[in-house]
Amino acid sequence: MAITGANFTGFTRGASGDKTFKAFSPKTNAYLDEEFKIATEEEFQNALRLAGKAFPAYSQISAAARAEFLDTIADEIMALGDVLLERCSAESGLPLARITGECGRTCGQLKSFAQLLRDGWWVDARIDKAQPDRLPLPKQDIRRMLIPIGPVAVFGASNFPLAFSTAGGDTASALAAGCPVVVKAHSSHPGTNELISSAIIKASEITAMPEGVFSSLYLSHEDVIRLVQHPVIKAVGFTGSRNVGMRLFNAAITRPEPIPVFAEMSAVNPMILLPGAIEFSKEKIAKDLAGSVTLGVGQFCTNPGLVLMLENSRTKEFISEFATQLSATVPATMLNKNICKAYNEGVSALQNASEITLVAKSGTSASEGEAQPSAYSVKATDFMANKQFAEEVFGPSTLFVLCQDEVQLTEVLQSLEGQLTATVHATPSDERTVKSVLAIITQKAGRVIYGGYPTGVEVCHSMQHGGPFPSTTDGRSTSVGSAAIFRFVRPVAFQDFPDHLLPAELQNKNPLNIGRLVDGHWTSAKIG
C-alpha cells in the first residue's frame, strides 16, 4: 500500500495491489482481521515522484510554516486517542501504559523540532563580511548555513512502533530539516502505521504542505533495496538489526550517487561494576540492574547485555543477589515471532557453550511468544577468545564477564566493538581504575553513563543516541534529540551575493532574529 494523498481513512483504502498480509497480535497469538496490500510498482514510483516534486517547494517553505506542520502532526496524532493506543498495543504486545507514554514522547519530539525551527540557531549561520581594503588581497563576503539534503527514506522500527517509526524521530527530524519523507512501514504494526499516516497527511492538508511531502509504503523485500537505490532518495534513516542495516548501507554506497545511511543496528552496552560500588550498594545495584535488563522484555537497543566485574568474593555475593532479583521476574510477551525466535536461539547458544555458566533464570517458564529472563557468566579469557559471546542477544538477558584484575578488565573493554552506551558504577575508592576505564569507553560508545542505567533515552538537545560501528553506521550522528536534524542537511557557502538574494538567515537585516556567527562573534539573544 502507498499512502500519499488526500482523503485517506481506514485500514485498507488507497491500495490496488493483489499481494496482501495481515498483522499478527502477540497478545492473542493470532492474526488480526484487516488485510494490508503491498504497494504496486505504480504506487511505489508515484510516491517517489511526488517526493521528488515536493522537495524544491518544501525546502523553501519558511521555518515557521514547517514548525506549524510539525505541531499539527502532533495534535492530529493525539486526536486519534484510544483508537491508536489500542491498535498499537494489539499489534506490538506492549501494554497500554507503555504505548501511552510512547505516544506522548512521539508528539513531544515533533513539538520539540517545531520549537527548534522557531529558534533558528540550528542552521548554523556563519557570516564573514567582506574586507575590500585587506592587504595583500581583499577578503570576499562569505556566508554559510545548512540546507536540506533531499527526500529521505525512513524505515520503521519494531520495538518502538510510535517513537521510532512512522512519525518517530527520523521522520520528525527529516521533515524539520525541510526534507520530504518516504516511510517503509514496518509489517509488524501496519494498522498503527496507517492511523499515524492518516494524521500526518491530514496535518499536511491543514497546513497546505506540498503533495508528496510524506508517503508510506508497504514493500516487498526486493523493493526495500530499490527504495534505497532510487535516485530521488538522498538519505536513509533506519533502526533495526545489523544484518538489514548493512544491506541498506551497502545498497546506498554502491549507487551511482552514493548517499548516507544513518542506521542504528547492534549494541551490547557494557556496564562496568567496580569493587567500591559493589561494596557500597550491592543490593540496590543488583535490584536496579535486574530491572534494567528486563525492562520492556529487554527489547531496548540500550539493554545492558554485558556486565564487567573483577572476580572476588564480593563479586560472587553480588551475582547471588542479582540472581535472586532476576529469579523473581516473570516471562513476558515479545514484539513478534521472529524476535522471540532469535532471543531463544541466542540464549540457547549461551547455554550450550561449555565456557558459560548459568547465573539465573526467571522462576516461571515461558509460554509461546514469551521470553524467559536469564543471565550467564564467563571468565574474561574465554570471553575474549570467542567473539560470539560479545554479540547482542536482543531480549531480557545479560552476560557477566569476570576479570582477574584491572589490566584484564581494560583488555576486555578494548576488545569490544562500538556501542550505543557504556556505563560505569564506582566510588571514590575506584577513581584510579575509573580514569583508565573512561579513556576506553569514551572511544567505544556514544553515551557514557556514571552510576545509572542505559535503558531510557532522554529526548533533549544534548542527547547522543548513536556510537561507533556497528552500533551505528555513522558514529557522528544521533537519532534522538535536536541534533538528529543534522543528519539530513548539508552546508552551503554563498560568496559575494547581493543581500536580497541570500537566504533570510544570512541577510544583513537578520529578519528571523536567529543566532549567527558574524565575523567570529555570536549575535542574538537566542544563543547562549
Side-chain angles (χ1 to χ4, degrees), residues 375-389:
Y376 308 87
S377 68
V378 63
K379 291 187 178 297
T381 51
D382 293 327
F383 176 82
M384 289 186 287
N386 191 334
K387 290 185 178 181
Q388 290 185 337
F389 295 156

Side-chain angles (χ1 to χ4, degrees), residues 11 23 36 84 87 91 189-196 218:
F11 290 117
F36 302 89
L84 172 64
R87 180 74 193 194
E91 291 183 331
H189 35 82
T192 301
N193 166 70
E194 295 205 16
L195 288 167
I196 295 292
Y218 301 122

Side-chain angles (χ1 to χ4, degrees), residues 6-241:
N7 302 319
F8 168 80
T9 57
F11 290 117
T12 56
R13 283 190 60 183
S16 58
D18 55 5
K19 295 180 180 178
T20 65
F21 69 100
K22 292 184 176 183
F24 184 85
S25 175
K27 280 188 169 184
T28 62
N29 202 33
Y31 287 97
L32 299 174
D33 291 338
E34 297 83 5
E35 285 193 344
F36 302 89
K37 295 186 177 182
I38 303 296
T40 64
E41 177 65 16
E42 181 181 359
E43 290 165 342
F44 176 83
Q45 295 296 344
N46 189 49
L48 289 157
R49 179 184 63 80
L50 288 173
K53 183 179 178 181
F55 176 61
Y58 186 62
S59 64
Q60 297 301 312
I61 286 175
S62 70
R66 294 205 304 272
E68 182 185 0
F69 178 32
L70 295 179
D71 276 339
T72 306
I73 293 173
D75 294 342
E76 291 299 323
I77 290 173
M78 291 303 294
L80 291 171
D82 291 343
V83 172
L84 172 64
L85 302 180
E86 291 169 2
R87 180 74 193 194
C88 190
S89 179
E91 291 183 331
S92 65
L94 297 171
L96 276 173
R98 154 73 191 274
I99 294 298
T100 302
E102 191 179 328
C103 185
R105 171 178 171 172
T106 304
C107 295
Q109 287 176 158
L110 287 159
K111 289 185 174 291
S112 174
F113 280 109
Q115 186 58 49
L116 183 71
L117 291 175
R118 295 186 177 100
D119 290 344
W121 57 263
W122 69 276
V123 300
D124 193 23
R126 297 166 180 259
I127 298 173
D128 282 293
K129 293 182 178 180
Q131 297 177 17
D133 298 329
R134 189 184 71 172
L135 296 175
L137 294 172
K139 177 182 178 182
Q140 291 86 9
D141 184 289
I142 302 174
R143 306 180 181 216
R144 177 188 188 271
M145 65 176 287
L146 300 173
I147 67 168
I149 197 171
V152 175
V154 170
F155 288 75
S158 62
N159 60 336
F160 281 87
L162 296 177
F164 278 84
S165 198
T166 306
D170 288 349
T171 296
S173 55
L175 291 175
C179 301
V181 169
V182 178
V183 168
K184 185 275 177 188
H186 201 287
S187 59
S188 288
H189 35 82
T192 301
N193 166 70
E194 295 205 16
L195 288 167
I196 295 292
S197 295
S198 69
I200 298 174
I201 290 170
K202 184 176 180 181
S204 74
E205 294 168 353
I206 292 171
T207 56
M209 292 296 114
E211 184 183 14
V213 71
F214 171 85
S215 298
S216 176
L217 301 166
Y218 301 122
L219 297 178
S220 65
H221 293 300
E222 297 77 16
D223 284 341
V224 165
I225 298 301
R226 292 178 63 218
L227 174 61
V228 172
Q229 293 186 326
H230 197 284
V232 162
I233 298 299
K234 302 302 180 185
V236 175
F238 170 82
T239 299
S241 71

Side-chain angles (χ1 to χ4, degrees), residues 290-317:
S292 183
V293 169
T294 58
L295 183 67
V297 205
Q299 296 169 120
F300 291 135
C301 48
T302 55
N303 192 56
L306 285 182
V307 182
L308 279 59
M309 308 172 71
L310 300 182
E311 188 172 16
N312 55 42
S313 59
R314 291 195 179 278
T315 298
K316 293 179 181 178
E317 293 173 1

Side-chain angles (χ1 to χ4, degrees), residues 26-27 92-95 293-299 329-336 339-340 343-344 362 364-374 394-396:
K27 280 188 169 184
S92 65
L94 297 171
V293 169
T294 58
L295 183 67
V297 205
Q299 296 169 120
T329 64
V330 296
T333 301
M334 300 198 83
L335 291 159
N336 59 52
I339 288 176
C340 190
Y343 173 74
N344 289 329
S362 166
T364 308
S365 298
S367 300
E368 185 178 358
E370 292 184 335
Q372 185 176 26
S374 59
F394 190 69

Side-chain angles (χ1 to χ4, degrees), residues 230-299:
H230 197 284
V232 162
I233 298 299
K234 302 302 180 185
V236 175
F238 170 82
T239 299
S241 71
R242 182 170 176 175
N243 177 49
V244 176
M246 289 308 299
R247 283 182 60 215
L248 302 183
F249 178 78
N250 290 329
I253 63 174
T254 55
R255 289 173 32 143
E257 176 201 5
I259 60 171
V261 173
F262 301 100
E264 178 196 319
M265 300 182 295
S266 172
V268 291
N269 306 297
M271 177 175 288
I272 302 98
L273 303 183
L274 295 178
I278 295 173
E279 182 175 358
F280 184 73
S281 52
K282 175 183 66 178
E283 290 81 7
K284 185 178 187 309
I285 294 175
K287 180 180 179 180
D288 292 346
L289 177 58
S292 183
V293 169
T294 58
L295 183 67
V297 205
Q299 296 169 120

